[in-house]
Amino acid sequence: VIFSILFSLFKSLHFFFLMIRRPPISTLSSSSAASDVYKRQILEWASAQGPVAMTSSFGSQAAVLLHMANTVMPGIPVISVDTGYLPPETYQYMETLRHELGLNLYVVSNMEWSPARMEAIHGKLWEKDNEEAHKLYGAMRKVEPLVAALDALEPAPSVLLSGLRGSQTSARANMPRVAPQDDGRLKVLPILKMTDNEVERYYQDHNLPQHPLVSKGYVSIGDWHSSRALLPGESAADARKTRFGGKFEECGLHVDTHEKPEMTVEEAVAKSALDIIADTSVDASTGFATHLVKKRLEDGDMCRKCKDVQAKLEKDGMIDLIGGVSIADVTDPTSDGLTIAQHFQEEKAPFFVVKEEGSDSWKVIYSYMQWKKTMKKAQEA
């Protein structure tokens, strides 16, 4: 029994040591030798932030992140938007990768605006040269169905992975690896700095199947009406000339991302932890909000000290002063309690996180007697 307790404690402390001292994504090594390890670190970090989903266009280089992410997070939901205008080869490629990589694939489309209805009302938007038509097409065929699919996923993803790379367009070159989105999610781009040569080498090293159109000279693949093969004299550097007649770089899904500031790992975790405790209710008799973090062991039972504190709370009539409870599950690094503990750099549980009404800052009280004394003093004030 003693060995089991010590082993559980070691695992918990080891997890905290790694996470608290893990550097911001922007400072992790990205040298060629450490490239795969670096990308895996990003994916492992993302998986610890909450439910994760990813998007894929199943284009010419899609298999790289699909393979990486599904290796680190088997069964991760993969959303692909069917615009109604994809080349037959792309649909075939979806099925090939679904089977070979064991993908948990969701293929979605705009149920309100079918291609036929869109063309009847707005015409063939891709044939128009103006930016308004291009944006409307992107919104109807891509953005709206993706947003609906993300909102329908259970559990709701708090992190969204994408396989964008900085070398693909000038806008993507300025994108951060981690950025908060307007919907509250974090967008993470694990292969943002990956070069064309590294992509090619990854395909070879992992024996990944290529998109059928690659052998026909396609380097960038989207809808059939807006994609073409390279012409004689063109190279991979001319990839964006083969999309949208060379008039536009972006499809509408990612154009706003580069305008958002990059977040470090610490900032993202802090945001997540503070979101968890934000709804902690304030006790009217003390004017304090108290959030209690308790630890659950590997056997599913609460730690001994957690039980002791619970008993004292009930015996002393203080239980109603607790406005929120989170569990630090040593078997689940994404549990709310561990997220809070990581943010406040607490390696022991239980502990109290308190904030006085009107204050903007939370503080940790580890001792039950100290917390009780603070609450009693507040009640008497």
Short mmCIF file of all heavy atoms in Angstrom, two decimals, residues 16 34 48 74 91 97 119 150 155 187-188 216 218 240 245 259 331 336 342 344 350 374:
data_model
loop_
_atom_site.label_atom_id
_atom_site.label_comp_id
_atom_site.label_asym_id
_atom_site.label_seq_id
_atom_site.Cartn_x
_atom_site.Cartn_y
_atom_site.Cartn_z
N PHE A 16 3.72 17.33 -12.90
CA PHE A 16 3.78 18.76 -12.62
C PHE A 16 5.14 19.33 -12.97
O PHE A 16 5.24 20.42 -13.51
CB PHE A 16 3.49 19.03 -11.14
CG PHE A 16 2.04 18.96 -10.80
CD1 PHE A 16 1.58 18.13 -9.79
CD2 PHE A 16 1.12 19.72 -11.51
CE1 PHE A 16 0.24 18.06 -9.48
CE2 PHE A 16 -0.23 19.66 -11.20
CZ PHE A 16 -0.66 18.83 -10.19
N ALA A 34 15.81 17.72 -34.34
CA ALA A 34 14.78 17.59 -33.31
C ALA A 34 13.38 17.83 -33.87
O ALA A 34 12.43 17.92 -33.11
CB ALA A 34 15.06 18.57 -32.17
N ALA A 48 -3.17 18.05 -23.89
CA ALA A 48 -3.35 18.25 -22.46
C ALA A 48 -4.22 19.47 -22.15
O ALA A 48 -4.53 19.72 -20.99
CB ALA A 48 -1.98 18.42 -21.78
N PRO A 74 -4.84 8.94 -30.90
CA PRO A 74 -5.63 8.03 -31.73
C PRO A 74 -7.13 8.32 -31.60
O PRO A 74 -7.65 8.51 -30.52
CB PRO A 74 -5.29 6.65 -31.15
CG PRO A 74 -3.96 6.84 -30.50
CD PRO A 74 -3.96 8.23 -29.96
N TYR A 91 -11.95 12.75 -53.02
CA TYR A 91 -12.85 11.85 -52.30
C TYR A 91 -12.21 10.47 -52.14
O TYR A 91 -12.32 9.83 -51.08
CB TYR A 91 -14.18 11.71 -53.05
CG TYR A 91 -14.99 12.98 -53.13
CD1 TYR A 91 -15.16 13.65 -54.34
CD2 TYR A 91 -15.59 13.51 -52.00
CE1 TYR A 91 -15.90 14.82 -54.42
CE2 TYR A 91 -16.34 14.67 -52.06
CZ TYR A 91 -16.48 15.33 -53.28
OH TYR A 91 -17.22 16.48 -53.34
N LEU A 97 -6.92 7.32 -46.91
CA LEU A 97 -6.31 7.68 -45.63
C LEU A 97 -7.19 7.29 -44.45
O LEU A 97 -6.68 6.93 -43.38
CB LEU A 97 -6.03 9.19 -45.59
CG LEU A 97 -4.94 9.68 -46.54
CD1 LEU A 97 -4.73 11.18 -46.39
CD2 LEU A 97 -3.63 8.94 -46.30
N GLU A 119 -25.53 28.26 -56.97
CA GLU A 119 -25.36 28.69 -58.35
C GLU A 119 -26.63 29.35 -58.89
O GLU A 119 -26.55 30.32 -59.66
CB GLU A 119 -24.96 27.50 -59.22
CG GLU A 119 -23.56 26.99 -58.95
CD GLU A 119 -23.17 25.87 -59.90
OE1 GLU A 119 -23.59 25.90 -61.07
OE2 GLU A 119 -22.44 24.95 -59.46
N LEU A 150 -18.04 21.91 -35.84
CA LEU A 150 -17.33 22.07 -34.57
C LEU A 150 -18.31 22.25 -33.42
O LEU A 150 -18.12 21.70 -32.33
CB LEU A 150 -16.38 23.26 -34.65
CG LEU A 150 -15.13 23.07 -35.51
CD1 LEU A 150 -14.39 24.39 -35.67
CD2 LEU A 150 -14.21 22.01 -34.92
N PRO A 155 -17.21 15.55 -27.03
CA PRO A 155 -17.22 16.82 -26.30
C PRO A 155 -16.75 17.96 -27.19
O PRO A 155 -15.99 17.75 -28.14
CB PRO A 155 -16.22 16.57 -25.17
CG PRO A 155 -15.27 15.55 -25.72
CD PRO A 155 -16.12 14.66 -26.58
N LYS A 187 -6.27 27.74 -31.71
CA LYS A 187 -5.88 27.14 -32.98
C LYS A 187 -4.40 26.85 -32.93
O LYS A 187 -3.58 27.74 -32.63
CB LYS A 187 -6.21 28.07 -34.14
CG LYS A 187 -6.05 27.41 -35.51
CD LYS A 187 -6.65 28.28 -36.59
CE LYS A 187 -6.67 27.55 -37.93
NZ LYS A 187 -7.33 28.37 -38.98
N VAL A 188 -4.03 25.61 -33.21
CA VAL A 188 -2.64 25.18 -33.11
C VAL A 188 -2.18 24.66 -34.47
O VAL A 188 -2.87 23.84 -35.09
CB VAL A 188 -2.49 24.07 -32.04
CG1 VAL A 188 -1.04 23.61 -31.94
CG2 VAL A 188 -2.97 24.58 -30.68
N LYS A 216 0.07 13.83 -61.27
CA LYS A 216 -0.36 14.54 -62.49
C LYS A 216 0.10 15.99 -62.49
O LYS A 216 -0.36 16.79 -63.31
CB LYS A 216 -1.88 14.46 -62.63
CG LYS A 216 -2.41 13.03 -62.76
CD LYS A 216 -3.93 13.02 -62.90
CE LYS A 216 -4.45 11.58 -63.01
NZ LYS A 216 -5.92 11.53 -63.16
N TYR A 218 -0.03 18.23 -59.80
CA TYR A 218 -0.68 19.15 -58.87
C TYR A 218 0.16 19.28 -57.60
O TYR A 218 0.61 18.28 -57.04
CB TYR A 218 -2.07 18.64 -58.48
CG TYR A 218 -3.13 18.82 -59.55
CD1 TYR A 218 -3.15 18.02 -60.68
CD2 TYR A 218 -4.12 19.80 -59.41
CE1 TYR A 218 -4.12 18.18 -61.67
CE2 TYR A 218 -5.10 19.97 -60.38
CZ TYR A 218 -5.09 19.15 -61.51
OH TYR A 218 -6.06 19.33 -62.48
N ARG A 240 0.77 28.60 -55.54
CA ARG A 240 -0.46 29.39 -55.39
C ARG A 240 -0.96 29.93 -56.71
O ARG A 240 -2.12 30.35 -56.81
CB ARG A 240 -0.23 30.53 -54.38
CG ARG A 240 0.16 30.08 -53.00
CD ARG A 240 -0.62 28.90 -52.47
NE ARG A 240 -2.00 29.18 -52.16
CZ ARG A 240 -2.83 28.32 -51.56
NH1 ARG A 240 -2.39 27.12 -51.23
NH2 ARG A 240 -4.08 28.64 -51.32
N GLY A 245 -6.92 30.81 -60.01
CA GLY A 245 -6.41 31.56 -61.15
C GLY A 245 -5.27 32.49 -60.79
O GLY A 245 -4.94 33.42 -61.54
N GLU A 259 -3.67 37.52 -37.82
CA GLU A 259 -3.80 38.81 -37.18
C GLU A 259 -3.87 38.70 -35.66
O GLU A 259 -3.82 39.69 -34.96
CB GLU A 259 -5.05 39.53 -37.69
CG GLU A 259 -5.02 39.78 -39.21
CD GLU A 259 -6.30 40.37 -39.72
OE1 GLU A 259 -7.24 40.51 -38.90
OE2 GLU A 259 -6.38 40.69 -40.91
N THR A 331 -4.59 10.25 -13.15
CA THR A 331 -4.58 9.44 -14.38
C THR A 331 -5.01 10.24 -15.60
O THR A 331 -4.99 9.71 -16.71
CB THR A 331 -5.51 8.22 -14.23
OG1 THR A 331 -6.89 8.66 -14.17
CG2 THR A 331 -5.18 7.42 -13.00
N ASP A 336 -9.57 19.11 -14.81
CA ASP A 336 -9.63 20.51 -14.39
C ASP A 336 -8.70 20.79 -13.21
O ASP A 336 -8.02 21.82 -13.17
CB ASP A 336 -11.07 20.89 -14.02
CG ASP A 336 -11.95 21.05 -15.25
OD1 ASP A 336 -11.42 20.99 -16.38
OD2 ASP A 336 -13.17 21.23 -15.07
N GLN A 342 -1.43 23.19 -12.15
CA GLN A 342 -0.32 23.57 -13.01
C GLN A 342 -0.20 25.09 -13.09
O GLN A 342 0.90 25.64 -12.99
CB GLN A 342 -0.54 23.00 -14.41
CG GLN A 342 0.54 23.39 -15.42
CD GLN A 342 0.20 22.96 -16.82
OE1 GLN A 342 -0.64 22.08 -17.01
NE2 GLN A 342 0.82 23.57 -17.80
N PHE A 344 -1.17 27.38 -10.90
CA PHE A 344 -0.73 27.96 -9.63
C PHE A 344 0.53 27.30 -9.08
O PHE A 344 0.97 27.61 -7.98
CB PHE A 344 -1.85 27.88 -8.60
CG PHE A 344 -3.00 28.81 -8.90
CD1 PHE A 344 -4.18 28.32 -9.43
CD2 PHE A 344 -2.90 30.18 -8.67
CE1 PHE A 344 -5.26 29.18 -9.73
CE2 PHE A 344 -3.95 31.04 -8.95
CZ PHE A 344 -5.13 30.54 -9.48
N PRO A 350 -5.26 18.42 -1.06
CA PRO A 350 -6.12 19.48 -1.56
C PRO A 350 -5.54 20.87 -1.29
O PRO A 350 -4.65 21.03 -0.46
CB PRO A 350 -7.40 19.27 -0.77
CG PRO A 350 -6.92 18.73 0.55
CD PRO A 350 -5.76 17.84 0.21
N THR A 374 -9.15 32.58 7.71
CA THR A 374 -9.43 33.69 6.79
C THR A 374 -10.93 33.90 6.62
O THR A 374 -11.42 35.04 6.62
CB THR A 374 -8.78 33.42 5.42
OG1 THR A 374 -7.38 33.26 5.59
CG2 THR A 374 -9.03 34.55 4.45
#
